[in-house]
Each structure stands twice: as structure tokens, then as C-alpha cells.
Amino acid sequence: MRDRLLWGGGRMRQTAVFGVWIGLVVTAVSLFGDDSVPAALGSGAFTGTVCAVLIYRQQQHHWRSGWALDRSDRLAVVAAVRKGQDIADPRLASATVDFADLVRRGRLSQSGHRWILWAAVVGMAGAAVWNLFEGSDVAALAWGAGAAALTGLIAHVIPRSERYWLHRAERAESLARNLLAHPPAPA
């Protein structure tokens, strides 16, 4: 379902899905942080739009071969890379290599920007301390719990997830490169 929603449509639909999702998360975090509803909606809309524009621009430069495919072929390539399986169709082998490279670049780029998440942990911990002395105990507890949860994500969940997806992408890429190097005999 998720792959069909993200990769089954065009670039604009994928961009809109990412932008709306990011906007909703930022809105929820803003509401959680005691912002007013209009301020939370504004920050969510702004952040979602900026992220959507950045994602769209990145898609223009990467995986051009994937956007030239029709919907079912694009979904087959995405599924093969996500599952680490052979694409089986020689026409889709180069798109599989390109998409696996996109996944690898995305995962490596994420690890290079991990400091942003650590800065968020520091900010959340600071908000917890501030609320402990100047605000409410409930807000302090909420900010502290958020900082602890984000620390667990950064330290354990995200690195494990990255290794998992990189392994699958590398396996699919290897199988696709093998298919490109040794194409099946024509029937």
C-alpha cells in the first residue's frame, strides 16, 4: 500500500504525500510544545511545503530512469529493491541499479545529517528543564519523554534500519548488475 501511494503516481503525488506527512508531524509536535493552533498549523504548512519543494528538486536530478517507466514497472523496481530480490526483467535492470543507488545515497545522506536530530534532543531536554522551573511539570515530563524517545531512535532504531535497507538495496543492485552483465538468451 505504501509503495503504491508513494511510487505509483507521478513525482507531484509523491512530493505531496511527503510534504503533507512532514507537515502533519511538525504540526503535532508544535501543538505538543504548547503552541497555539494557528501557529502550529502555520509551522506545519511552511515546513511541509519547504520539504516538498526540496524533495521534488532532488527527484529531478536522481532516478530519471524510474520516472520514465510506467506505473507497474516502477512499482516492480521499488519492490525488488525494498525486498532485496532479483528484478527478473532485463528491461528494468538499469532502473533497479539506479534506484538502489538512490536508496544508498539517501541513507548515507541521512547519517550525515544526524547532528540535526541530536540538536533536537538537546532542545527538547532544554525545554524540559525550562518547563520544570518556569512552566508546568506535565510539559517538563512530556519534553523529557520526547527527548528520551528521540535518543532511542537516533542511537538504536535508525542505524539498524539503515543497515537493513542498505543490505537489501545492495543485494538487489548486485542481482541487477549480474542481469545486465549476463542477459538471458533471447527466446
Side-chain angles (χ1 to χ4, degrees):
M1 172 67 182
R2 177 187 61 192
D3 286 344
R4 271 189 248 125
L5 180 66
L6 291 177
W7 299 103
R11 281 184 274 202
M12 288 301 289
R13 183 166 103 184
Q14 182 189 25
T15 301
V17 168
F18 277 122
V20 166
W21 184 85
I22 291 168
L24 289 174
V25 168
V26 169
T27 300
V29 168
S30 296
L31 286 172
F32 182 70
D34 296 331
D35 276 353
S36 66
V37 173
L41 290 173
S43 64
F46 176 76
T47 306
T49 302
V50 168
C51 288
V53 168
L54 293 174
I55 288 167
Y56 185 79
R57 287 191 46 88
Q58 182 183 15
Q59 289 176 359
Q60 287 179 324
H61 300 293
H62 305 293
W63 203 41
R64 291 176 193 247
S65 61
W67 294 111
L69 299 172
D70 66 7
R71 180 180 191 267
S72 61
D73 289 343
R74 189 168 48 245
L75 287 171
V77 168
V78 170
V81 172
R82 286 191 184 274
K83 295 175 183 175
Q85 295 176 342
D86 190 8
I87 192 65
D89 188 348
R91 299 180 304 110
L92 304 177
S94 65
T96 303
V97 170
D98 290 346
F99 186 68
D101 184 52
L102 178 68
V103 169
R104 181 177 32 263
R105 270 191 271 131
R107 297 294 172 182
L108 295 176
S109 171
Q110 284 177 0
S111 63
H113 295 101
R114 189 89 28 93
W115 66 270
I116 297 170
L117 295 174
W118 285 114
V121 168
V122 170
M124 292 171 83
V129 171
W130 177 266
N131 277 302
L132 190 60
F133 294 112
E134 298 293 328
S136 71
D137 292 341
V138 173
L141 181 62
W143 281 111
L150 188 54
T151 299
L153 267 171
I154 298 168
H156 300 291
V157 175
I158 292 174
R160 209 166 81 203
S161 171
E162 284 177 351
R163 286 191 304 273
Y164 175 80
W165 290 114
L166 283 173
H167 173 72
R168 286 183 170 212
E170 288 168 356
R171 178 169 159 66
E173 180 181 17
S174 172
L175 291 168
R177 285 191 188 281
N178 189 35
L179 186 61
L180 286 170
H182 309 291

